[in-house]
Amino acid sequence: MPGPRLTSLAASLPATVPFVGPEQHERDRDMTIRARIGANESVFGPAPSAVAAMAQAAGEAWKYPDAQSFDLRRALAARTGAGMKNIVVGSGIDGLLGSLVRLTVAPGDPVVTSAGAYPTFAYHVAGHGGALHAVPYRGDHEDPEALIAKGKEVGAKLIYISNPDNPMGSWHDSARVRSMIEAVPDGSLLVLDEAYLECTDRDVAPPLVPDDPRVIRMRTFSKAYGLAGARVAYAIGHADLIAAFDKIRDHFGVSRMAQAGALAALEDRAYLAEVKENIETSRQRIAAIAADNGLAALPSAANFVAIDLGGDGARTRRAVEALMARGVFVRMPGVAPLDRCLRVSCGGPEEMDLFAATLPEVLAETV
């Protein structure tokens, strides 16, 4: 019997996915996670107004969603100052990255990222046959100058950076990001992933210039807005590039419920401010837990904190497994030397108390 009729490219790819979700961990181990602080979700949840809007929209789930996400795009345009023609809505940043790579990367085309950066971008590049070039982090930060230099060297179609960064939580100020945009070589496009933008009040985002052809900026409702399960995000870029998404995107990929929830969440500024306060409180608590155990927490502008265990990736993996055995789900960076760290998502008092109680036991086991 013949096997799957895969393309030669698909057949050559490893049998892998970017992440193993917490539900799969529970099934594999026949256990229940008690502290879900590994996927950078918001345990603080979406705004009650967003929940109500999604519940109301669910009554019209028999209808296909608005393929143009018109109301949401109009609200985003008013909020950001970009034109509606400069905004595309998609099924999370992951979905937008997939569409962007499909639009711009042919087999063999060079693409630049950081070794250890958000892996889903590299997953899409590999899936479309792009040639991925990675530069190392510098001092636990992605290195803008090295990324641009590598982009010039290889003639990159895309250059990817997240700010604030995942998985380290580090960040660059707006002036440095703006300098990076100014330095983008001809023929390249900077992919600026701003998923964690709303998690901080730090000066991380340069002024928006929607029709700048050198950069596309991606933002999400998955983090501070608490809608990771709804899968809705947006990209801001040059009108010609944004229009090109219509050639290949899934036009019904963002449900009526997701659009309604995102629109309500965007309008509920008071709840967003409350979540940001909760994130800051949790960041401080994670840092205190680390210090109580003789460890250093890296400064973070995201909704998670990287804790330096002072060892290597093997020790960190043992710690991740030992925490999971106690019902505490955390993750770790995948590349040395970043993999010396645990990455702990912000949580409420219950999650933080459980993490504080289990971490000393785990550290004693994994020395």
Side-chain angles (χ1 to χ4, degrees), residues 224-269:
Y225 288 108
L227 289 170
R231 310 310 303 132
V232 56
Y234 61 102
I236 303 173
H238 190 279
D240 291 345
L241 175 61
I242 296 302
F245 276 79
D246 282 342
K247 297 180 178 183
I248 51 89
R249 70 181 176 90
D250 181 353
H251 285 73
F252 297 120
V254 181
S255 73
R256 300 184 73 87
M257 288 73 76
Q259 292 182 40
L263 181 58
L266 185 69
E267 294 173 346
D268 199 334
R269 300 194 190 198

Side-chain angles (χ1 to χ4, degrees), residues 327-341:
V328 179
F329 168 58
V330 300
R331 282 187 172 140
M332 60 179 285
V335 173
L338 312 181
D339 62 359
R340 72 189 192 282
C341 295

Side-chain angles (χ1 to χ4, degrees), residues 105-119:
V105 177
D109 281 350
V111 175
V112 170
T113 187
S114 301
Y118 185 54

Side-chain angles (χ1 to χ4, degrees), residues 252-342:
F252 297 120
V254 181
S255 73
R256 300 184 73 87
M257 288 73 76
Q259 292 182 40
L263 181 58
L266 185 69
E267 294 173 346
D268 199 334
R269 300 194 190 198
Y271 186 78
L272 178 61
E274 180 182 331
V275 170
K276 289 173 75 171
E277 291 179 2
N278 290 337
I279 290 171
E280 177 58 28
T281 297
S282 185
R283 282 194 298 241
Q284 293 178 13
R285 180 77 193 283
I286 295 170
I289 293 169
D292 288 344
N293 288 275
L295 303 173
L298 277 61
S300 174
N303 69 342
F304 61 87
V305 176
I307 298 176
D308 191 342
L309 297 188
D312 58 13
R315 185 194 182 194
T316 309
R317 279 187 287 275
R318 292 196 299 271
V320 168
E321 286 298 321
L323 284 164
M324 180 65 76
R326 291 164 171 82
V328 179
F329 168 58
V330 300
R331 282 187 172 140
M332 60 179 285
V335 173
L338 312 181
D339 62 359
R340 72 189 192 282
C341 295
L342 285 177

Side-chain angles (χ1 to χ4, degrees), residues 88-297:
V88 61
V89 171
S91 55
I93 286 181
D94 291 354
L96 290 169
L97 286 173
S99 293
L100 178 66
V101 172
R102 183 181 173 192
L103 274 174
T104 60
V105 177
D109 281 350
V111 175
V112 170
T113 187
S114 301
Y118 185 54
T120 302
F121 176 69
Y123 171 80
H124 286 305
V125 172
H128 288 278
L132 201 64
H133 300 265
V135 302
Y137 276 59
R138 183 176 181 181
D140 295 324
H141 291 68
E142 292 195 69
D143 189 336
E145 291 77 23
L147 287 165
I148 292 296
K150 179 60 71 171
K152 290 179 179 177
E153 175 190 334
V154 302
K157 296 289 290 293
L158 302 175
I159 302 171
Y160 174 87
I161 187 171
S162 58
N163 192 59
D165 173 67
N166 180 17
M168 305 309 286
S170 54
W171 69 95
H172 299 292
D173 64 29
S174 61
R176 192 168 186 188
V177 178
R178 185 63 202 167
S179 294
M180 186 182 188
I181 296 171
E182 295 289 347
V184 170
D186 290 344
S188 296
L189 177 69
L190 180 66
V191 185
L192 178 54
D193 184 338
E194 297 179 308
Y196 298 94
L197 179 65
E198 292 85 5
C199 296
T200 183
D201 288 324
R202 294 181 172 91
D203 174 33
V204 298
L208 192 64
V209 183
D211 265 323
D212 189 334
R214 298 170 295 188
V215 60
I216 185 169
R217 297 167 74 155
M218 297 192 172
R219 299 175 178 177
T220 187
F221 288 90
S222 293
K223 307 304 179 185
Y225 288 108
L227 289 170
R231 310 310 303 132
V232 56
Y234 61 102
I236 303 173
H238 190 279
D240 291 345
L241 175 61
I242 296 302
F245 276 79
D246 282 342
K247 297 180 178 183
I248 51 89
R249 70 181 176 90
D250 181 353
H251 285 73
F252 297 120
V254 181
S255 73
R256 300 184 73 87
M257 288 73 76
Q259 292 182 40
L263 181 58
L266 185 69
E267 294 173 346
D268 199 334
R269 300 194 190 198
Y271 186 78
L272 178 61
E274 180 182 331
V275 170
K276 289 173 75 171
E277 291 179 2
N278 290 337
I279 290 171
E280 177 58 28
T281 297
S282 185
R283 282 194 298 241
Q284 293 178 13
R285 180 77 193 283
I286 295 170
I289 293 169
D292 288 344
N293 288 275
L295 303 173

